[in-house]
Amino acid sequence: MSSVNLARALRAIKRSVWVYHLNSGSCNACDIEILDALTPYFDVERFGIKLVGSPRHADLILFTGPVTRESLPKVVRAIRAMPRPRLILVLGSCGVSGGIWWDTYSTIGGFKKLEEVLRENGVEVDRVVYVPGCPVRPEAIIYGILLLLGVVEQKVKKVEVVASES
Amino acid sequence: MSIARILEIAFRTGRVTRKYPHEPPLLTPEFRGAVRVDPSKCWGCGACVKICPPNALSLRSDSGREVVLEYFVGRCIFCGMCAEVCPARAIEVTKEFELSSTSLESLKYGVAHRLVRCSSCGSLVWTEAELRAVIRSSPVAEEYVVLCPRCRKTRFARAASIRVGAGSE
């Protein structure tokens, strides 16, 4: 598989991101918030974001759910069907790390494990942005997409402090 | 519905779209975002770790000399139970929701606590902050407070046995 020039590709799709909504067994709360973000109230079409019905047409996958075992092969096929560059916005605590289902028998526990499965199957993913939230707010989805496109700066960073007496 | 009626409603309602990144988000007073652990108040007792449903808060001990209370916001379900059970009131629920990141590592926040040795056997039992809080909150003899539970039991049993005249040792 040939590599892609990610910076050039992002510049090209910056103002017209076509998104595909992929549910891998989530509770539907994040999915409802995605629909919220598409309504005139938040109106993501301001940024040229448009929902499409097939991963073959999509630039970005809005990925929700903790990846149940049953959905795993279908998820891998859907992501493989995407053209390069493959951009994935992982939404919700379930998608990011398994959330409340982090150690159940019937899920594989979030996107990190899925990434390993994708690598084993030879499916490359070009950029991933994690959006925590349970469920994610529509504003958080917009913020995540803008971070993925490089419009806004990332706010969080790894911090480790030593406890001290006040 | 006729187009005239639709236009009438549209003009009466006006613009409803939130121009989010350019204007403040619509946050209700009930909204719960990421929690914040105050490192100057936290004891490292682990009450939040026990109550946390998805194990977003965890205690890990890398070196053995200290424990780290780690908050992984990527797994948090924003229930606020940790803030409710915290005996030191060190955890606060904020309205922070712009938590997107390109790596899982940057979603982690840790508070490191140094451990105190038992003055008798030398095993590591509790954190410095917890010891300070216990001494401050309850009138306990300080030679007992720096002991591990096992040494404390032994010493108390020995003292009690001497008192009732059960013989030495």
Side-chain angles (χ1 to χ4, degrees):
Chain A
M1 201 175 280
S2 64
S3 64
V4 286
N5 187 340
L6 190 61
R8 210 176 132 213
L10 281 177
R11 215 166 34 246
I13 65 169
K14 202 167 191 171
R15 289 183 183 279
S16 63
V17 200
W18 285 18
V19 298
Y20 175 68
H21 175 190
L22 181 61
N23 180 331
S24 68
S26 86
C27 71
N28 285 2
C30 292
D31 309 285
I32 290 167
E33 299 295 318
I34 289 172
L35 296 185
D36 241 6
L38 293 164
T39 57
Y41 219 90
F42 292 98
D43 195 21
V44 283
E45 289 200 22
R46 286 182 289 153
F47 308 105
I49 298 165
K50 185 183 169 228
L51 194 68
V52 292
S54 164
R56 292 183 202 283
H57 301 159
D59 301 309
L60 169 69
I61 278 187
L62 301 176
F63 184 87
T64 63
V67 197
T68 58
R69 285 187 174 192
E70 199 60 35
S71 73
L72 179 61
K74 289 93 173 175
V75 167
V76 172
R77 271 169 58 199
I79 295 175
R80 182 181 279 146
M82 266 180 104
R84 297 292 287 278
R86 293 196 182 98
L87 312 174
I88 297 189
L89 194 72
V90 184
L91 299 172
S93 298
C94 292
V96 175
S97 65
I100 197 88
W101 320 112
W102 63 286
D103 64 346
T104 57
Y105 67 94
S106 58
T107 74
I108 67 164
F111 193 78
K112 202 180 175 190
K113 298 272 170 59
L114 177 65
E115 218 168 17
E116 284 164 24
V117 176
L118 289 174
R119 206 175 299 126
E120 277 167 24
N121 286 283
V123 182
E124 287 174 59
V125 175
D126 293 301
R127 186 176 261 190
V128 184
V129 165
Y130 299 94
V131 186
C134 189
V136 281
R137 292 180 66 82
E139 286 107 329
I141 298 173
I142 295 169
Y143 187 83
I145 294 178
L146 294 179
L147 176 68
L148 191 136
L149 298 174
V151 178
V152 293
E153 291 289 310
Q154 183 175 323
K155 278 189 180 176
V156 288
K157 60 177 192 292
K158 187 179 165 72
V159 181
E160 194 161 319
V161 290
V162 178
S164 56
E165 203 176 2
S166 51
Chain B
M1 201 183 273
S2 70
I3 187 77
R5 177 98 181 97
I6 291 171
L7 282 176
E8 190 208 323
I9 294 170
F11 278 116
R12 197 172 57 230
T13 313
R15 179 177 68 85
V16 292
T17 305
R18 313 283 305 179
K19 296 186 171 179
Y20 158 60
H22 311 294
E23 74 179 40
L26 187 77
L27 291 176
T28 52
E30 300 86 34
F31 175 69
R32 294 188 300 267
V35 301
R36 190 189 297 135
V37 186
D38 189 343
S40 66
K41 286 186 192 162
C42 178
W43 298 350
C45 65
C48 49
V49 176
K50 275 210 168 140
I51 200 91
C52 186
N55 221 4
L57 287 151
S58 59
L59 277 177
R60 73 179 155 80
S61 171
D62 295 336
S63 59
R65 290 286 301 147
E66 60 174 26
V67 288
V68 181
L69 173 71
E70 195 173 74
Y71 173 52
F72 177 34
V73 72
R75 198 179 272 163
C76 184
I77 59 166
F78 310 98
C79 60
M81 299 240 273
C82 45
E84 228 162 76
V85 298
C86 183
R89 304 209 180 281
I91 299 181
E92 181 199 359
V93 179
T94 66
K95 297 215 179 291
E96 189 52 55
F97 71 91
E98 290 164 335
L99 305 159
S100 309
S101 103
T102 48
S103 75
L104 287 174
E105 276 304 301
S106 53
L107 296 173
K108 288 177 180 166
Y109 174 83
V111 180
H113 286 279
R114 275 189 299 277
L115 289 168
V116 184
R117 281 189 189 281
C118 167
S119 67
S120 172
C121 68
S123 60
L124 294 158
V125 271
W126 34 15
T127 64
E128 271 181 13
E130 196 172 6
L131 190 71
R132 271 200 301 267
V134 166
I135 290 173
R136 208 174 292 150
S137 65
S138 50
V140 279
E142 283 180 23
E143 67 264 30
Y144 277 108
V145 115
V146 290
L147 293 173
C148 69
R150 212 174 136 200
C151 292
R152 205 180 305 157
K153 268 183 209 154
T154 318
R155 187 175 286 191
F156 177 76
R158 196 178 293 154
S161 68
I162 290 168
R163 195 162 293 174
V164 298
S168 59
E169 297 299 301

